Amino acid sequence: MPETIKNYIAGKWIDADQGKTFKSLNPADHREVVGIVPDSTAEDVNKAVAAARKAFPAWRDTPAPKRGEILFRAAEILVKRKAELGELVCREMGKVLAESLGDVQEAIDMAYYMGGEGRRLNGETVPSELPNKDARSLRVPIGVFALITPWNFPTAIPSWKIAPALVAGNTIVFKPAEETPVCATRLVEILVETGLPPGVLNLVHGFGAQAGEPLVRHQEIDGVSFTGSNEVGEKLAALCGSSHKDFMMETGGKNPIIIMDDANLELAVEGALWGAFGTTGQRCTAASRLIVQNGIYDRFLQAFTQRATQLKLGNGLNKGIDVGPIISKAQHEKVLSYLKIGQEEGATLHLGGHSYVEGDCVHGTFIEPTIFTDVNPKMRIAQEEIFGPVVSIIRARDLKEAIDIANGIPFGLSSAIYSNDVNTTATAERDLDTGLVYINASTIGAEIQLPFGGTKKTGLGPREAGGRGGALDLYTKWKIIYRDYSGRLQKAQIDE
Ligand code: NAD
């Protein structure tokens, strides 16, 4: 039975103003409706923003350790309900069950980590150049934040944004992806259960143009955090720039793995398989280019192809499945179009290249794990994000050429190198122009206690997740306090 879900505004679960709904489907079997979802418009957005604005002063003034305790409580509930939530992620987004549970685990990690920030939101105290004067900085919240998220990490990415925004003292209007609204609703329900005051966290479902854009354009929104496609991100960046809103975006990737002649072949094959076909290639950090040195090329291609051939496609809830469905019919069409483009550009379709319609998969949107060889680094399949189980293999003569190819794209999220030579890996570590670099590991595997994000067209603004230079830099601004207790006019830079 599909579940009918609602918006959450000012502490109440309500339908969309115009009463319209849409359906979220199981991508492994489109006959299954997972949720019936409010199709919201600017009216709903207006109510949610008004609720968040009203709740802001009291939430800002709630001691940060208390705000953090709410996140600890949310983490505890997430732990208890992990199995149920993981199954839901699998049904609504399609990634295989082990990965779906990982999606929920990331939200647990983030809630605990950011809960701790409630007692660590520290600034600096520095000496003043004048006597009887203090100089210090403190973090203060920005105000009302719009959080807009994609479907590929339906629990994790919302938690990356909601947890730091809350602990920092902001109030929120959250617009999750239209493909995974039930997962988003579960997360909000859990936060509500912790005792979050009404209006602090508001949830508005709906589509980008009808709900997302009015939210970003709203005059009472102070900051926007967006994860999704470049096309949308760049439009929102322009909107926020012209209306002076704080903004962060994390968008696409075209991540390379370099495999050098001296690599551990088995390890490199495992990492390449996980990077290219894990999550059906629908990760911003997916490895969609394998840059392989000439001396190991034939052995690597043979072993990699053999392993890719053995991958099992199907509904991720079933045991033994390695690769789940593509999220939607539109995305399925997009991936298929790139399979055509690759062949028209002159690349060799080495493996796969078709929709997969065996058995139960006929009711879902599946594509065979696909390998292109004879790929020129400038081809579109080697430059543009495909977001599916499609990988291009590119030859390289040496490290310098491999790094030039790796860097020769508009994106800069993640990269990896397999080599057993310390000088080689250290050089790559220095020269790869990406936000994340992995040594002898795949392009996937970020942990939440360090910042996450990319260079070039991948990212703009502060990074997500934890650590210095992470999400708190987005969700707070610095306030500088000078306190003069000399009882006389003192002039910085002028007094002798
Ligand atoms: P998308 O841009 O289509 O949608 C993302 C969100 O933006 C959705 O909630 C959508 O409703 C909303 N949206 C769409 N148009 C909008 C508009 N005009 N105004 C406001 N909101 C709007 O992206 P997607 O297909 O959901 O996600 C896939 C993309 O996300 C890929 O490019 C992937 O690389 C990227 N991604 C990046 C990261 C990262 O951290 N770098 C992580 C995950 C996904």
Side-chain angles (χ1 to χ4, degrees):
M1 269 294 280
E3 184 181 335
T4 299
I5 58 172
K6 296 188 186 272
N7 288 336
Y8 185 71
I9 297 177
K12 292 200 171 61
W13 293 98
I14 55 175
D15 293 323
D17 193 66
Q18 294 179 9
K20 285 195 191 151
T21 58
F22 66 95
K23 292 172 182 160
S24 97
L25 305 178
N26 178 344
D29 183 343
H30 289 246
R31 295 170 305 177
E32 186 194 350
V33 178
V34 181
I36 297 176
V37 190
D39 189 354
S40 310
T41 58
E43 287 305 310
D44 305 288
V45 166
N46 290 344
K47 285 186 207 158
V49 176
R53 171 62 58 202
K54 189 167 167 216
F56 176 61
W59 186 243
R60 177 196 60 202
D61 296 341
T62 302
K66 295 280 169 221
R67 299 195 298 250
E69 282 165 22
I70 288 210
L71 296 179
F72 286 133
R73 288 203 284 280
E76 298 291 310
I77 302 171
L78 284 163
V79 168
K80 281 203 194 93
R81 294 178 60 182
K82 180 173 168 183
E84 166 213 337
L85 294 172
E87 200 178 308
L88 176 64
V89 169
C90 186
R91 279 176 56 226
E92 198 174 42
M93 184 273 160
K95 63 177 90 170
V96 298
L97 189 56
E99 292 184 36
S100 295
L101 291 166
D103 200 294
V104 180
Q105 185 59 45
E106 205 161 317
I108 295 169
D109 297 344
M110 188 58 91
Y112 277 129
Y113 184 91
M114 288 295 167
E117 289 294 346
R119 289 184 186 268
R120 245 191 335 256
L121 277 174
N122 52 330
E124 280 184 302
T125 301
V126 296
S128 166
E129 66 191 50
L130 294 165
N132 300 320
K133 185 180 170 191
D134 301 331
R136 67 195 165 93
S137 63
L138 50 118
R139 287 185 184 275
V140 295
I142 307 281
V144 180
F145 248 94
L147 307 182
I148 300 185
T149 56
W151 46 266
N152 65 336
F153 281 84
T155 318
I157 292 182
S159 80
W160 287 14
K161 299 185 189 301
I162 293 173
L166 284 181
V167 81
N170 301 281
T171 56
I172 295 170
V173 180
F174 168 35
K175 208 301 280 167
E178 51 270 35
E179 294 87 352
T180 51
V182 183
C183 294
T185 302
R186 231 18 40 94
L187 183 64
V188 171
E189 282 168 4
I190 287 170
L191 283 153
V192 169
E193 197 183 324
T194 63
L196 210 54
V200 170
L201 173 61
N202 303 275
L203 170 68
V204 177
H205 290 292
F207 293 90
Q210 291 76 19
E213 203 165 316
L215 176 60
V216 172
R217 287 181 182 274
H218 201 294
Q219 283 182 357
E220 290 286 324
I221 288 291
D222 300 303
V224 174
S225 173
F226 171 81
T227 302
S229 61
N230 272 73
E231 192 190 353
V232 174
E234 281 163 16
K235 182 175 185 187
L236 301 187
L239 281 177
C240 290
S242 61
S243 56
H244 215 93
K245 294 178 169 110
D246 285 44
F247 181 73
M248 188 281 320
M249 71 178 192
E250 282 300 336
T251 55
K254 190 73 189 171
N255 313 292
I257 298 181
I258 296 174
I259 297 145
M260 300 298 292
D261 284 349
D262 66 353
N264 175 330
L265 180 65
E266 184 51 28
L267 195 64
V269 168
E270 291 279 344
L273 272 180
W274 173 226
F277 304 125
T279 327
T280 320
Q282 300 175 114
R283 281 190 186 232
C284 50
T285 52
S288 49
R289 297 180 298 150
L290 306 178
I291 303 166
V292 188
Q293 201 178 359
N294 281 328
I296 198 172
Y297 187 93
D298 291 340
R299 282 181 295 137
F300 174 81
L301 182 61
Q302 193 198 8
F304 181 64
T305 309
Q306 196 213 346
R307 292 292 304 277
T309 315
Q310 290 164 356
L311 294 172
K312 288 205 166 45
L313 276 77
N315 186 326
L317 285 177
N318 297 333
K319 279 216 167 69
I321 295 299
D322 303 298
V323 180
I326 300 285
I327 185 70
S328 63
K329 287 189 175 150
Q331 184 59 23
H332 186 255
E333 286 304 308
K334 181 182 159 194
V335 177
L336 289 177
S337 78
Y338 272 103
L339 302 184
K340 213 167 140 222
I341 290 167
Q343 292 172 79
E344 284 167 3
E345 286 180 309
T348 304
L349 184 60
H350 177 76
L351 183 76
H354 307 99
S355 280
Y356 183 79
V357 288
E358 301 290 315
D360 282 353
C361 291
V362 71
H363 300 295
T365 30
F366 291 85
I367 290 182
E368 296 167 345
T370 297
I371 302 173
F372 277 111
T373 53
D374 301 318
V375 177
N376 177 309
K378 295 293 170 210
M379 287 177 181
R380 284 183 65 193
I381 54 165
Q383 288 283 323
E384 297 172 17
E385 188 183 49
I386 299 174
F387 228 53
V390 183
V391 68
S392 293
I393 307 193
I394 304 170
R395 281 180 183 270
R397 281 188 306 274
D398 53 22
L399 181 65
K400 162 118 188 22
E401 190 183 39
I403 290 174
D404 286 347
I405 294 169
N407 287 341
I409 50 156
F411 302 106
L413 184 52
S414 182
S415 59
I417 180 162
Y418 283 87
S419 164
N420 280 330
D421 184 294
V422 68
N423 298 341
T424 300
T425 56
T427 305
E429 199 177 302
R430 185 193 62 198
D431 292 346
L432 284 166
D433 184 9
T434 51
L436 313 165
V437 177
Y438 291 88
I439 312 297
N440 289 323
S442 193
T443 49
I444 293 173
E447 301 181 29
I448 60 96
Q449 61 276 25
L450 280 173
F452 178 93
T455 61
K456 300 192 272 187
K457 278 195 159 191
T458 295
L460 186 67
R463 296 279 160 101
E464 302 234 72
R468 274 179 172 263
L472 291 179
D473 286 353
L474 174 66
Y475 296 105
T476 62
K477 57 192 165 196
W478 290 111
K479 182 177 265 189
I480 308 302
I481 312 286
Y482 295 108
R483 182 175 56 171
D484 192 318
Y485 53 98
S486 66
R488 60 193 172 86
L489 176 65
Q490 299 199 93
K491 297 186 189 125
Q493 295 93 36
I494 294 171
D495 285 1
E496 285 297 317

